[in-house]
Amino acid sequence: MIPAAIMPLADYTDSKLSFFPESASTFSSDSDWIFYFISIVALIFFIAIVIALFGFTVKYKKAKGMAAESQTDHNTTIELVWSIGPSFLLIVMFYFGAQGYLAHRTIPEGSYELGVDAYKWGWGINYGKFVIHPELHVVAGEPTKLTMTSSDVIHSLYIPAFRVKKDIVPGRYNYMWFKATKPSEKVVTDEELEQLAAKDAETNASWNYDERQFTPDGYTFYDLYCTEYCGTNHSEMQTVVVVHETRADLDAWIKKYSKRASTESPASYGQKLYERRGCKTCHSIDGTKVGYVGPTWKDLAGTSRPLANGDEVLADENYLRESILNPKAKIAAGYQPVMPSYKGQLTDDDIYSLVEYIKSLSESGSGGEAEADAGEGTEEDTSPGANDEQAGDEAAQ
């Protein structure tokens, strides 16, 4: 067998004799046996045809100029056998293939519904209550429906272990469903996770799923890829799927990410949002500009920013907030207006935390000129409490 590592459908697998990754959904077994059935039938016919080809070549080989032994060019019986016989196999392939296709397209009533937003180059899974996370979390044994849309170009969601794939087209909704069968395992203690998180915070490093093979919450996972070439960083458009044993476990995970803990600083929480909400795909935090479609956050706050229209603006708290909620209002010079609005997707505390994190990446912060211009109202305007009132005004508009 060809090693799984070079198969186009292969994912990580412990078996060197398997074409496929681990089977973890109700679709897996049906898809796999149809694939093997078609492959074996094709292989049998291929071997038979190659043997006949070389056999006839040897048997009927004649020297140049010698007359042929037979001029027979038609045999109705043989032609009927090799035309009608294989057609029965094609009908079998079509029947089971159509059954599988209809099963993928028929979404069961009462499925657990999640929204999926695909963008260059990341994923946003909407769990409601302002919880949007790049990881897909579902419940074992429960049908899950994904309502998917794209913010920019065509993407394609593919989960190898579930044997499901669906294109995501901008300007419309596409749907997918599956039923996961194998729950993920919690393989790391909370104490070990805290140590790893602290280590990453010191170095400003992102969580490395491939290296650690478990999520920041300590769960094993299944891979999720984009399989439609969508631009420069297409190969990095990856995330993971975690399967919980019960709905209570999933609800507890969602609750954990629904708001900032009372003991956590806004800047620290803002760093987590930078990782979870896809900010890192467009904005660097170390000054790097190559490969990023948005300006770096390094030394952004408190500086004067040239705009595409020739004006300049001070990157204070109000500018940063406006850039999150209405990014096309003031386009930075040298960049395209491709950032989507996060209005309605972030709470006021989320926005406040992101602004505080951006300020923490700047030596000047958003003080100095910002405070001089805004006066005593600066602190009040950027606090979560004040943002509630501003958010209400925006909603009314």
Side-chain angles (χ1 to χ4, degrees):
M1 288 291 188
I2 300 175
I6 61 174
M7 289 301 295
L9 294 178
D11 191 9
Y12 176 80
T13 174
D14 292 327
S15 173
K16 295 182 179 180
L17 298 178
S18 174
F19 282 98
F20 298 107
E22 181 180 3
S23 174
S25 81
T26 53
F27 290 138
S28 302
S29 58
D30 292 339
S31 297
D32 292 358
W33 91 259
I34 293 175
F35 174 85
Y36 284 121
F37 173 69
I38 294 175
S39 298
I40 291 171
V41 169
L43 182 63
I44 291 173
F45 274 85
F46 173 76
I47 293 174
I49 291 171
V50 170
I51 291 175
L53 174 65
F54 284 96
F56 292 154
T57 301
V58 173
K59 180 177 180 180
Y60 296 109
K61 181 180 180 182
K62 297 292 183 182
K64 186 176 181 180
M66 294 185 64
E69 295 180 1
S70 173
Q71 295 295 332
T72 302
D73 59 2
H74 177 71
N75 189 306
T76 302
T77 302
I78 294 178
E79 291 172 3
L80 290 174
V81 169
W82 75 38
S83 298
I84 298 177
S87 66
F88 287 107
L89 291 173
L90 296 178
I91 292 173
V92 172
M93 295 175 188
F94 173 80
Y95 173 77
F96 288 104
Q99 273 197 328
Y101 172 80
L102 293 175
H104 280 259
R105 295 290 294 173
T106 307
I107 302 174
E109 294 185 6
S111 298
Y112 177 59
E113 296 190 30
L114 294 173
V116 177
D117 181 29
Y119 55 87
K120 295 190 297 186
W121 290 272
W123 305 93
I125 315 300
N126 193 338
Y127 296 92
K129 300 179 181 178
F130 292 101
V131 179
I132 299 178
H133 199 280
E135 297 176 2
L136 174 59
H137 286 245
V138 299
V139 180
E142 182 175 318
T144 301
K145 174 186 175 182
L146 304 182
T147 301
M148 306 178 294
T149 187
S150 170
S151 302
D152 34 59
V153 299
I154 298 177
H155 300 281
S156 187
L157 189 149
Y158 173 47
I159 308 175
F162 294 174
R163 314 295 193 264
V164 291
K165 175 183 175 295
K166 188 73 174 181
D167 284 353
I168 307 175
V169 182
R172 60 173 295 179
Y173 291 101
N174 277 7
Y175 305 93
M176 169 194 290
W177 83 277
F178 53 81
K179 184 189 291 185
T181 56
K182 293 186 178 180
S184 302
E185 299 179 8
K186 186 76 176 289
V187 294
V188 182
T189 64
D190 292 337
E191 292 75 13
E192 292 173 322
L193 291 173
E194 290 178 1
Q195 294 174 2
L196 291 172
K199 181 180 178 181
D200 289 344
E202 291 177 359
T203 59
N204 282 329
S206 300
W207 187 270
N208 193 321
Y209 289 90
D210 291 332
E211 177 184 327
R212 292 169 177 170
Q213 286 299 305
F214 55 85
T215 70
D217 299 299
Y219 291 102
T220 58
F221 57 82
Y222 303 101
D223 290 315
L224 187 157
Y225 304 107
C226 173
T227 54
E228 185 77 29
Y229 181 71
C230 52
T232 307
N233 295 334
H234 163 70
S235 62
E236 299 178 10
M237 193 169 170
Q238 306 176 27
T239 186
V240 299
V241 184
V242 175
V243 182
H244 295 266
E245 290 191 12
T246 65
R247 176 64 73 87
D249 291 339
L250 175 58
D251 290 342
W253 180 86
I254 295 174
K255 183 178 180 180
K256 175 182 177 181
Y257 289 95
S258 61
K259 61 181 180 179
R260 173 168 59 94
S262 58
T263 57
E264 187 172 19
S265 69
S268 175
Y269 188 62
Q271 182 178 14
K272 293 180 180 179
L273 291 174
Y274 169 80
E275 297 280 342
R276 298 171 191 164
R277 302 306 297 271
C279 308
K280 66 177 183 180
T281 63
C282 298
H283 304 278
S284 74
I285 56 175
D286 60 0
T288 303
K289 295 183 180 180
V290 178
Y292 292 89
V293 297
T296 180
W297 285 3
K298 178 67 173 176
D299 294 328
L300 168 61
T303 62
S304 180
R305 308 291 298 176
L307 301 180
N309 62 5
D311 295 338
E312 288 193 2
V313 64
L314 178 67
D316 59 6
E317 290 93 338
N318 290 322
Y319 167 77
L320 296 176
R321 176 181 169 81
E322 181 184 42
S323 296
I324 294 172
L325 296 175
N326 187 15
K328 293 180 174 61
K330 296 181 177 69
I331 306 301
Y335 296 94
Q336 298 297 318
V338 296
M339 177 175 169
S341 171
Y342 281 82
K343 184 181 294 185
Q345 300 183 38
L346 295 168
T347 65
D348 286 321
D349 186 68
D350 291 343
I351 298 172
Y352 176 67
S353 298
L354 280 170
V355 171
E356 290 301 302
Y357 176 57
I358 295 173
K359 289 165 61 178
S360 73
L361 298 172
S362 175
E363 294 182 1
S364 60
S366 61
E369 293 180 71
E371 292 182 0
D373 292 342
E376 296 179 357
T378 301
E379 181 65 24
E380 181 182 354
D381 290 342
T382 58
S383 66
N387 287 346
D388 289 337
E389 182 178 352
Q390 187 170 348
D393 294 339
E394 290 169 352
Q397 294 174 4

